[in-house]
Amino acid sequence: MAALKVGSVTSAVQSLWLIPVLPLLAAGLLAFAKQRHRVFAGTLAIVALVASFIVACGAFAATLGAHGERAVFNFTWLQFGETPLRLGWVLDPLTAVMVVMVTLVGTLIFIFSVGYMAEDENFTRFFCFLSLFAAAMLGLVIANNLLLLFVCWELVGLASYLLIGFWYHKPSAAAAAKKAFIVTRIGDIGFFIGILWLYAETGTLLLYDNGNGCLEGSALAQLVARTTIGGMVVSTAIALLIFCGAMGKSGQVPLHVWLPDAMEGPTPVSALIHAATMVAAGVFLVARVYPLMDADPANVAGHSPALCVVTWIGAITAIFAALIAVAQNDIKRILAYSTVSQLGYMMLGLGTGGVAVGIFHLITHAFFKALLFLGAGSVIHGCHHEQDIRRMGGLRRFMPLTFATYAVGMMALAGFPLFFSGFWSKDEILHSAFAWAPSRWPFYLGAAGAVLTTFYMTRQMFYVFFGHNRADEPAGHVHVHESPAIMVVPLVILAAGAVLLSIVGTPAWPWFHAYLTGHAAAVQPVAVDVILIMLLSTALVALGLGLGWWLYGRRRIERADSPDPLEALQADTFTVLRQKFWIDEAYDKTVVRLNRALCRAADWLDVFVWGGLVALVSYLAVGIAWVNRLIDEYVVNLGFDKGCGSVRWTARLLSLWQNGQVQRYLRALGVALAIFVLIFIWGCRG
Amino acid sequence: MSYLDVLILACPETIVALAALVVLALDLAVFRRRPWATRMRFGALAVTIGCLAALSWLWGTIPVRPLLHSDDVLVLNSLTHLIKIVVLLLTILTAWISIESQFTDHVGEYFALLLFGTLGMMFLVSTENLLMIFVALELLSLCLYTMTAFNKQNVRSAEAALKYFLFGGMSAAFLLFGFSLVYGLTGEITLGRIGRALNPSTLQPFNPSTLPDPLLIVALIMVMAGFGFKVAAVPFHLWAPDAYQGAPTPTAAFIASGSKVASFFILAKLLVAGFAGAGGAAAWRGFTQGWMPLVAILAALSIAVGNVAAIAQSSVRRLLAYSAIAHAGYALVGVLAFGSPTPSASTLQPFNPSTHHGFTALIYYVVTYACTALGAFGVVAIVEGSGSTVQRFNDSTVGPPDDLRAFAGLGKRAPLLSFCMLIFILSLAGIPPLAGFFGKFYLFAAALSSGKDLALLWLVVFAIAMTAVSLYYYLQVLKQIYVAPPPRLDDSTTQRFNDSTTQQPFNPSTLQPITPSWPAQASVVILAAAVVILGLAPNLLVGRVLGMVDASRLFLR
């Protein structure tokens, strides 16, 4: 029976390539579609992704009974000399969970986009890019080769760039696209160097290859045994370089600056790429190379230097972004900073608790954050592209369905106890951070972040859905409307997901945990400290909610331009937070300015030094040519030679040879033969 | 071995020969009075059926071990089967492209000659006997001469064919003389035995101290002259530009594709197996007597002349002809890589795996080049076929129909066709990820890894530099297609046209969208797809060929 199930994983891995290829084909076809083929574009993209979803479900089902069995499919792509370059894909619980999540959330967001983008004239292009993104993301998830993973990683970045700048006529969107591309590239340089180094050390980039992959025993032992600069183990150095890429993609401090700006893209893009899937790719990457991250000469699981860095960066990001989110007014920006903060939690979970903890939060977050973003999209759509929460208010009455689903998302994000998936996944992270031996501080940071999360979400809810409408319209003429069914239905499904997912990850029945680690799930008694942490986080949520209500819900907010209650209370703090700690400005003053100076220096070098050298050489050449010409005209005095000055003239000379007279050709043949014989009998004596 | 066995061994060849006769007979007996287009389509269909039948026989009978006929008249192994399959596929696609050009009324004869030419190639591929090589080569060449002369309405066609024929006759004389000298020296006519006879101590096959006989040098040069003519290597290339320009386009395509594959295959086998002991060395400033320095000089000359002369061409066909000369030079580099002894070669097994890489690189290069060249000529055929009547018959008035300017604005007139041409041209120029890039990559990598101390480095550096030069003229074609505005025939041209043909008013058909017949279009698209796929997944072919070279045990019999 076991053999049969293992067999089903190995057979499922054969068809895994279909998952990215189907959306890729859709993208390729849509690239050629005309602007007016709107129905065709939407249908094709959705059908392709649904088909991928079905294949993904098959793969998922195959892994269910396989107890963490891993199947790989590797093939030779190129062969030069004796070294083959092999690519491949891998099917394990991590892959299976990710492909199902990406295809499911992606499908819902595609459907939502049909409604949201209905007015846009570049509808076909939008779906082409979305499909390209889905293909790249799915390719990234199934890749069993770091090079293939990197290629998809960059393709994902490209799709993100194209979609952030989708409304490229808006200067802010164009700038945001550029910023996202460049900032993530900074991390990718580290990632790429890490890949090269890894290849140099192990000679393979296959992750799993029946014992010869770079994440498997022998290669890891080899990496751990060597040390490099500063006594650091090679595996740690490579892991940190790879983590650089993850930091860029997942918006970890200090490379988080691009993610809030990326909200210039259409809202479905924010939901799909900049909340649910792409930004989680960094977290996924860390989970994928977890054995490398975890490799440590001391051999204490979970305490390797690389994982400590991951933990600390994650904890700092979690609190830092949550603080900034408190003082923002743009509905999407609040969610963006919230995303950054949650990604920090995932890193914290990976660092302290391992793959299952981080990935569970990734999955639940994908659902409720996609839900929140689509809800925000619905709100923006309903308010005629108003994004400032101060100009909303009272939407609960006009958009009841959106309100209900948004409230579910908010509860899940805040970690409202028992019924919402966010509670369980966040609780697991806090618990593992609490149990983390090296330091208790990440736990404190995470706990404080949890209060802030509830606080800023409560603030947003009160601003958007409660009170009265503060738009610049005369009272009684509110034009807010509920969104069409094609937008609301995905919201409802996502909301259901955000609630139901909580079933699989409770401490009493940690099915998800068991599934990822390959154990059998069993109902187990809950330990005392777990219950303590649960009570604590419930208290934290209550504190956040209470604070939020006290500041924002107690009194009605009268006018759109009235100061924020928190600003009235703590003006200076609020300013610091609203200005996002002046990180952007600091970068502008340091990195960007340095870069400009370097550019100017390079330009100067180019113009004066290199250009001067080139000019010098050319003058020299012209001088020689001039002398040559004098000699030619007056000494050799052959007009023929003047014609040989350029390649084209040489070519014409060769054509002269080709004059069409067959006698001459044949004579040339004979002469050539004779010359060759002479050369070889007398010329080549070795 | 009885004749029945020979017949079974040569069954695909028999099928092709029968198909040629059937095409001829049916066209004469049944289709003579039918409209021209019907006959053309029928002919192409018959060629397709015949070739597919031979191909499926080949596919079904890929031998595990080499099959031999006495005196190596027929040598069959998986590699020869593969090459024959490629040749047959190229023939089918050539036949489809032929539908587009209306150059002759003798449809049956044309397709029969095409099949006989294919027959010649197939025998050429599967023999290791000097006499058989010569006969097969002549069968192929005679078909090609006749096919070149097939456009009787065009003076250029006859002129080109005559030149091609005279040149070919002289080269054949050289080749035969060379072969007879080899026979005189060794008393053998099969490649394997010649190799052993020229190289008495088989345990030390590459002893530089034994300098070859001067007579052998003459024989070598004679043989190289003959084959240099076949593959159009400088200085034996002079027929090529005229023949490519004058011949009907499908013929030119056939010369550039199928015949190149077969010729390079047999040339490599001949040199490496037959003249194994007389290799010499082609290192920079380290030439020693043998065929390697000769091939190196031919390669360098071909690369230089082909690429530089192509720059000045305004006719696309001549441009492709010079490009073909340059590519022949690159392929000769592959022959060198194949033949060079490698440092790690043990004395007992001179042909170690990296030599196999040389042969594999050569085969990959030639096959992908054949696909690309055939596709490019297919596009040329379609563009020419779509030109106005004045351009087809009266080239003195508007210029040759394949003038670069005829391609101006093609990107708008035929987007799909232009895109295919883009793929072909970029592949010829060697831009990744197309097949042309990997062809050059494998070739140069194999050349670098062969020989002692990077012996062929000078040639590879030179070839790469000239590849950069080649970008200029390749991009000229693309510039015409995508950037240049569609041609506006000025008043004088119109005037001249109206003077020359008073029957009908001027019809600026060059400005209309091109609507090629579907077989021609399909073959171009198939070739473009093949170029892309072979580029994206080179191992599809390379891995297979490597295995086949190993399995064929080419030189260890």
Side-chain angles (χ1 to χ4, degrees):
Chain A
M1 190 64 198
L4 186 78
K5 275 174 183 164
V6 170
S8 71
V9 181
T10 39
S11 62
V13 80
Q14 305 285 337
S15 56
L16 210 58
W17 58 276
L18 276 172
I19 297 175
V21 163
L22 289 170
L24 187 67
L25 283 179
L29 278 176
L30 290 182
F32 290 105
K34 297 228 165 57
Q35 219 171 33
R36 60 194 150 77
H37 295 152
R38 304 166 77 89
V39 179
F40 167 72
T43 319
L44 180 69
I46 291 171
V47 166
L49 200 60
V50 167
S52 290
F53 174 64
I54 293 166
V55 181
C57 284
F60 180 68
T63 59
L64 274 180
H67 302 292
E69 188 75 28
R70 177 176 290 120
V72 292
F73 179 82
N74 297 329
F75 62 96
T76 307
W77 181 57
L78 263 186
Q79 174 119 24
F80 21 86
E82 296 296 287
T83 31
L85 178 53
R86 300 170 71 207
L87 300 182
W89 36 88
V90 56
L91 179 61
D92 58 2
L94 181 62
T95 305
V97 154
M98 286 297 288
V99 287
V100 171
M101 185 278 280
V102 172
T103 47
L104 176 58
V105 174
T107 306
L108 294 174
I109 291 172
F110 277 29
I111 295 171
F112 180 89
S113 309
V114 173
Y116 191 84
M117 300 300 283
E119 316 285 314
D120 202 287
E121 61 173 331
N122 290 319
F123 191 81
T124 359
R125 184 157 63 91
F126 184 73
F127 274 94
C128 172
F129 290 167
L130 273 189
S131 292
L132 173 69
F133 166 77
M137 183 71 202
L138 292 165
L140 190 162
V141 170
I142 67 167
N144 186 31
N145 176 305
L146 270 182
L147 186 69
L148 183 59
L149 197 152
F150 187 75
V151 169
C152 294
W153 181 270
E154 293 299 325
L155 277 178
V156 163
L158 169 73
S160 159
Y161 168 79
L162 292 171
L163 285 165
I164 296 171
F166 186 73
W167 290 317
Y168 52 84
H169 43 81
K170 269 198 328 196
S172 58
K178 244 183 334 193
K179 186 172 180 183
F181 201 66
I182 292 169
V183 173
T184 49
R185 197 71 349 111
I186 294 171
D188 291 350
I189 293 171
F191 185 16
F192 194 61
I193 295 173
I195 291 178
L196 293 181
W197 194 351
L198 188 64
Y199 185 73
E201 290 287 337
T202 63
T204 177
L205 285 177
L206 283 177
L207 299 171
Y208 299 100
D209 185 20
N210 298 326
N212 300 320
C214 61
L215 291 188
E216 289 170 305
S218 59
L220 283 184
Q222 195 185 335
L223 289 176
V224 166
R226 308 256 305 268
T227 53
T228 172
I229 320 152
M232 203 196 303
V233 182
V234 170
S235 72
T236 308
I238 293 174
L240 288 180
L241 282 169
I242 292 178
F243 183 58
C244 282
M247 276 165 70
K249 205 58 117 193
S250 285
Q252 300 294 294
V253 174
L255 295 180
H256 65 285
V257 287
W258 66 271
L259 187 52
D261 285 12
M263 299 302 133
E264 291 289 344
T267 304
V269 172
S270 309
L272 178 62
I273 300 186
H274 305 114
T277 56
M278 185 192 86
V279 291
V283 179
F284 169 78
L285 177 66
V286 175
R288 176 54 91 208
V289 298
Y290 192 79
L292 182 67
M293 292 271 168
D294 199 22
D296 185 31
N299 213 5
V300 184
H303 294 167
S304 74
L307 283 179
C308 289
V309 173
V310 173
T311 306
W312 278 106
I313 295 272
I316 292 169
T317 306
I319 181 95
F320 187 81
L323 275 172
I324 297 177
V326 166
Q328 300 302 311
N329 288 327
D330 184 320
I331 184 168
K332 281 173 72 180
R333 272 182 183 263
I334 298 174
L335 292 177
Y337 278 107
S338 156
T339 306
V340 174
S341 161
Q342 297 300 312
L343 290 167
Y345 275 107
M346 292 173 209
M347 290 294 185
L348 178 61
L350 282 176
T352 56
V355 173
V357 177
I359 293 297
F360 185 43
H361 195 55
L362 191 161
I363 300 289
T364 58
H365 173 260
F367 278 89
F368 62 66
K369 193 48 76 61
L371 167 62
L372 284 172
F373 262 110
L374 293 189
S378 177
V379 166
I380 293 168
H381 195 72
C383 296
H384 308 285
H385 293 272
E386 178 58 63
Q387 300 201 7
D388 192 332
I389 55 170
R390 289 170 302 185
R391 296 181 186 283
M392 298 174 181
L395 296 187
R396 162 173 60 116
R397 275 163 292 148
F398 307 107
M399 320 179 75
L401 270 172
T402 304
F403 167 67
T405 52
Y406 204 86
V408 171
M410 174 261 173
M411 294 290 193
L413 173 58
F416 197 80
L418 297 182
F419 300 111
F420 297 96
S421 54
F423 171 72
W424 301 107
S425 56
K426 192 186 282 185
D427 194 59
E428 209 178 353
I429 291 173
L430 287 179
H431 176 246
S432 55
F434 182 74
W436 199 50
S439 169
R440 199 48 75 70
W441 271 101
F443 168 71
Y444 297 142
L445 291 175
V451 180
L452 287 169
T453 307
T454 323
F455 177 73
Y456 65 69
M457 283 316 289
T458 317
R459 169 173 179 265
Q460 195 190 39
M461 287 300 279
F462 277 119
Y463 259 117
V464 174
F465 290 104
F466 291 88
H468 67 281
N469 195 287
R470 295 179 295 277
D472 296 329
E473 288 168 1
H477 290 85
V478 185
H479 286 109
V480 178
H481 58 85
E482 181 62 285
S483 299
I486 197 161
M487 293 167 69
V488 177
V489 169
L491 288 179
V492 175
I493 298 175
L494 283 170
V499 174
L500 292 178
L501 266 178
S502 55
I503 299 170
V504 300
T506 59
W509 188 61
W511 176 85
F512 191 84
H513 204 292
Y515 165 69
L516 272 188
T517 49
H519 299 106
V523 179
Q524 60 188 48
V526 183
V528 180
D529 59 335
V530 174
I531 292 180
L532 279 179
I533 297 286
M534 275 164 66
L535 288 175
L536 175 73
S537 72
T538 308
L540 294 176
V541 168
L543 180 66
L545 270 175
L547 271 175
W549 173 81
W550 190 69
L551 274 175
Y552 297 98
R554 212 162 35 119
R555 277 189 303 274
R556 277 169 67 129
I557 300 149
E558 290 302 332
R559 299 208 330 275
D561 49 0
S562 59
D564 196 281
L566 186 65
E567 194 176 358
L569 212 63
Q570 277 286 339
D572 292 342
T573 320
F574 194 79
T575 313
V576 172
L577 296 184
R578 165 150 302 165
Q579 298 303 327
K580 313 150 201 164
F581 293 97
W582 288 286
I583 296 279
D584 274 325
E585 286 76 6
Y587 283 168
D588 211 37
K589 287 279 181 299
T590 55
V591 182
V592 176
R593 182 178 282 187
L594 179 72
N595 195 23
R596 288 225 181 88
L598 284 176
C599 288
R600 268 196 297 276
D603 185 47
W604 182 84
L605 273 177
D606 218 34
V607 170
F608 292 102
V609 179
W610 308 130
L613 269 177
V614 170
L616 199 68
V617 170
S618 69
Y619 285 135
L620 203 68
V622 169
I624 292 172
W626 193 67
V627 173
N628 202 2
R629 183 177 144 209
L630 280 184
I631 296 171
D632 243 19
E633 281 185 4
Y634 297 104
V635 183
V636 181
N637 201 8
L638 275 177
F640 174 74
D641 284 354
K642 278 198 281 186
C644 301
S646 70
V647 177
R648 288 186 68 94
W649 277 98
T650 319
R652 206 154 300 165
L653 190 67
L654 284 170
S655 309
L656 282 181
W657 189 9
Q658 198 84 39
N659 70 342
Q661 284 187 7
V662 78
Q663 300 91 319
R664 192 185 282 200
Y665 288 4
L666 292 178
R667 216 171 293 143
L669 191 75
V671 170
L673 209 70
I675 290 176
F676 273 124
V677 171
L678 292 180
I679 289 179
F680 280 88
I681 291 187
W682 283 288
C684 286
R685 293 231 172 250
Chain B
M1 186 175 267
S2 71
Y3 281 108
L4 190 62
D5 293 332
V6 181
L7 201 61
I8 289 172
L9 282 184
C11 191
E13 283 85 353
T14 317
I15 294 173
V16 171
L18 282 178
L21 295 175
V22 167
V23 170
L24 198 59
L26 276 184
D27 189 63
L28 281 175
V30 183
F31 290 91
R32 180 102 290 189
R33 310 225 173 275
R34 297 294 170 84
W36 179 84
T38 318
R39 293 170 62 197
M40 214 64 191
R41 278 175 194 244
F42 161 74
L45 179 71
V47 170
T48 311
I49 293 173
C51 288
L52 279 181
L55 202 153
S56 50
W57 178 281
L58 286 168
W59 193 261
T61 60
I62 291 179
V64 185
R65 282 179 300 108
L67 299 170
L68 306 176
H69 183 56
S70 58
D71 281 343
D72 290 357
V73 169
L74 278 179
V75 178
L76 302 182
N77 52 42
S78 46
L79 197 60
T80 60
H81 271 57
L82 177 82
I83 302 290
K84 281 191 215 172
I85 288 173
V86 169
V87 164
L88 286 170
L89 286 174
L90 290 171
T91 306
I92 294 174
L93 294 173
T94 311
W96 290 4
I97 288 172
S98 308
I99 292 178
E100 197 57 37
S101 10
Q102 318 168 356
F103 55 84
T104 180
D105 288 334
H106 301 275
V107 176
E109 290 88 332
Y110 171 75
F111 282 115
L113 280 172
L114 183 69
L115 285 175
F116 281 129
T118 310
L119 185 65
M121 293 181 205
M122 291 168 78
F123 273 121
L124 194 57
V125 166
S126 56
T127 181
E128 291 185 10
N129 181 308
L130 288 188
L131 283 177
M132 194 64 187
I133 290 175
F134 185 75
V135 170
L137 205 57
E138 282 308 290
L139 175 56
L140 168 62
S141 300
L142 284 171
C143 293
L144 291 181
Y145 305 146
T146 325
M147 283 165 72
T148 307
F150 239 74
N151 190 353
K152 289 185 193 150
Q153 287 138 332
N154 191 341
V155 186
R156 280 169 180 280
S157 177
E159 184 191 333
L162 187 64
K163 278 180 194 162
Y164 190 18
F165 174 63
L166 286 175
F167 232 82
M170 192 149 157
S171 302
F174 280 132
L175 186 65
L176 201 57
F177 193 21
F179 279 173
S180 62
L181 284 178
V182 171
Y183 178 68
L185 279 169
T186 60
E188 299 288 350
I189 55 168
T190 68
L191 297 185
R193 280 189 229 148
I194 291 173
R196 277 192 288 273
L198 286 178
N199 186 31
S201 59
T202 36
L203 288 181
Q204 290 177 326
F206 296 106
N207 190 351
S209 63
T210 56
L211 289 177
D213 196 327
L215 208 55
L216 180 61
I217 295 291
V218 175
L220 259 178
I221 292 172
M222 296 270 177
V223 170
M224 267 322 287
F227 273 99
F229 154 78
K230 270 317 313 163
V231 302
V234 177
F236 311 109
H237 69 290
L238 292 155
W239 60 275
D242 289 326
Y244 276 51
Q245 191 177 23
T249 326
T251 309
F254 196 53
I255 295 173
S257 58
S259 101
K260 281 286 172 64
V261 175
S263 307
F264 267 109
F265 184 76
I266 192 64
L267 172 63
K269 251 190 348 189
L270 177 72
L271 288 178
V272 178
F275 295 109
W284 179 242
R285 293 184 178 204
F287 280 17
T288 53
Q289 284 177 341
W291 60 265
M292 299 221 335
L294 186 61
V295 173
I297 290 175
L298 289 186
L301 281 178
S302 303
I303 293 171
V305 171
N307 281 323
V308 174
I311 290 176
Q313 303 304 322
S314 61
S315 141
V316 175
R317 289 204 203 180
R318 286 183 87 86
L319 192 148
L320 285 174
Y322 280 108
S323 147
I325 292 169
H327 280 275
Y330 295 128
L332 285 176
V333 176
V335 175
L336 277 177
F338 176 35
S340 299
T342 47
S344 62
S346 74
T347 47
L348 278 175
Q349 192 191 351
F351 296 97
N352 66 353
S354 65
T355 348
H356 289 180
H357 284 293
F359 200 24
T360 310
L362 175 67
I363 290 174
Y364 180 81
Y365 189 83
V366 175
V367 169
T368 53
Y369 171 72
C371 292
T372 321
L374 184 56
F377 270 110
V379 175
V380 172
I382 294 172
V383 171
E384 284 178 7
S386 75
S388 59
T389 37
V390 67
Q391 288 195 334
R392 211 175 314 117
F393 293 116
N394 268 350
D395 27 336
S396 56
T397 54
V398 191
D402 61 328
D403 194 88
L404 258 178
R405 276 164 300 171
F407 283 77
L410 190 70
K412 294 209 175 55
R413 294 165 67 201
L416 181 64
L417 216 56
S418 305
F419 186 68
C420 292
M421 193 64 172
L422 173 86
I423 290 172
F424 296 136
I425 292 285
L426 290 183
S427 176
L428 284 174
I431 305 287
L434 299 169
F437 168 76
F438 282 102
K440 286 203 175 73
F441 174 74
Y442 283 125
L443 211 60
F444 295 155
L448 282 183
S449 65
S450 70
K452 283 193 193 76
D453 307 328
L454 298 175
L456 292 176
L457 183 65
W458 65 276
L459 194 55
V460 172
V461 169
F462 179 68
I464 291 175
M466 291 312 284
T467 305
V469 172
S470 73
L471 262 181
Y472 176 79
Y473 61 86
Y474 286 129
L475 294 185
Q476 286 282 351
V477 180
L478 291 184
K479 181 182 155 202
Q480 287 295 328
I481 292 177
Y482 281 107
V483 182
R488 301 222 165 272
L489 297 183
D490 51 15
D491 291 341
S492 63
T493 317
T494 315
Q495 192 60 44
R496 264 187 287 157
F497 179 83
N498 286 339
D499 289 346
S500 59
T501 51
T502 46
Q503 295 92 347
Q504 55 191 34
F506 176 65
N507 174 23
S509 63
T510 46
L511 305 180
Q512 287 164 0
I514 293 176
T515 48
S517 63
W518 68 264
Q521 177 110 337
S523 74
V524 169
V525 170
I526 289 171
L527 286 164
V531 169
V532 172
I533 290 170
L534 285 177
L536 288 177
N539 225 53
L540 279 182
L541 185 59
V542 171
R544 205 150 288 170
V545 174
L546 261 181
M548 286 176 176
V549 176
D550 280 339
S552 67
R553 299 171 58 77
L554 204 48
F555 309 103
L556 296 178
R557 280 186 281 107

